[in-house]
Amino acid sequence: MRILLLILLFAIALSFFIFTSPVQAAEISDAAKIFNSNCASCHIGGGNVLIAEKTLKKEALQQYLKNYDTDSIAAIIHQIQNGKNAMPAFKSKLSEDEIIQVAAYVFQKAEQGW
C-alpha cells in the first residue's frame, strides 16, 4: 500500500514538472530548493564530489541502486532515506514529502541528462 502511495505521489510530482508553464518553469521548484539545500554540496550538477563514479546520472543510478531499472523512484527514495557509505541518511532530516520531491527531482534530472 505504501509503495502505491509513493508511486501515486511520484506521478503527481512528475506531472507537475512536465506540465508547468514556461513562467513557472523559470522559477526554482521546491524540489530543486530542497536538493540544493541538502544534496548539491556533494551532488552538484548530478555529479559526486566524494566518489566520482557514483553520480546521479542515469547510467550510474542503474549500476549502483538496487532495483533502479524495475522501480526507479523507490530505489532513489530508499537511498535518500537510508544513505549508504559516505552518503548520510536523510529520513530524520527531511520529511517523507520532501524525500519524495527530491527523489522525483533526481529521477527527472537523470532522465534529462542533468
Side-chain angles (χ1 to χ4, degrees):
M1 181 68 181
R2 187 173 181 166
I3 294 295
L4 291 175
L5 176 62
L6 292 174
I7 292 170
L8 176 62
L9 289 171
F10 169 70
I12 292 168
L14 188 58
S15 68
F16 173 79
F17 287 119
I18 292 171
F19 298 110
T20 57
S21 71
V23 173
Q24 290 173 324
E27 297 176 11
I28 297 178
S29 70
D30 287 342
K33 290 176 187 174
I34 297 165
F35 180 87
N36 289 337
S37 296
N38 294 279
C39 313
S41 61
C42 292
H43 293 291
I44 191 158
N48 187 325
V49 299
L50 297 176
I51 305 170
E53 67 273 5
K54 291 192 177 181
T55 69
L56 299 180
K57 300 197 186 266
K58 185 175 180 178
E59 298 77 24
L61 293 175
Q62 289 171 326
Q63 183 178 357
Y64 294 111
L65 292 183
K66 182 179 180 183
N67 298 327
Y68 181 83
D69 288 325
T70 57
D71 200 357
S72 306
I73 194 67
I76 296 169
I77 288 170
H78 179 81
Q79 185 75 19
I80 295 167
Q81 287 176 329
N82 301 297
K84 187 174 182 181
N85 299 324
M87 180 176 164
F90 283 89
K91 64 183 163 192
S92 62
K93 184 174 182 184
L94 298 176
S95 70
E96 188 170 326
D97 182 59
E98 290 172 322
I99 289 171
I100 291 168
Q101 287 182 55
V102 170
Y105 177 79
V106 168
F107 177 80
Q108 178 198 24
K109 296 297 278 184
E111 287 294 312
Q112 296 173 343
W114 284 92

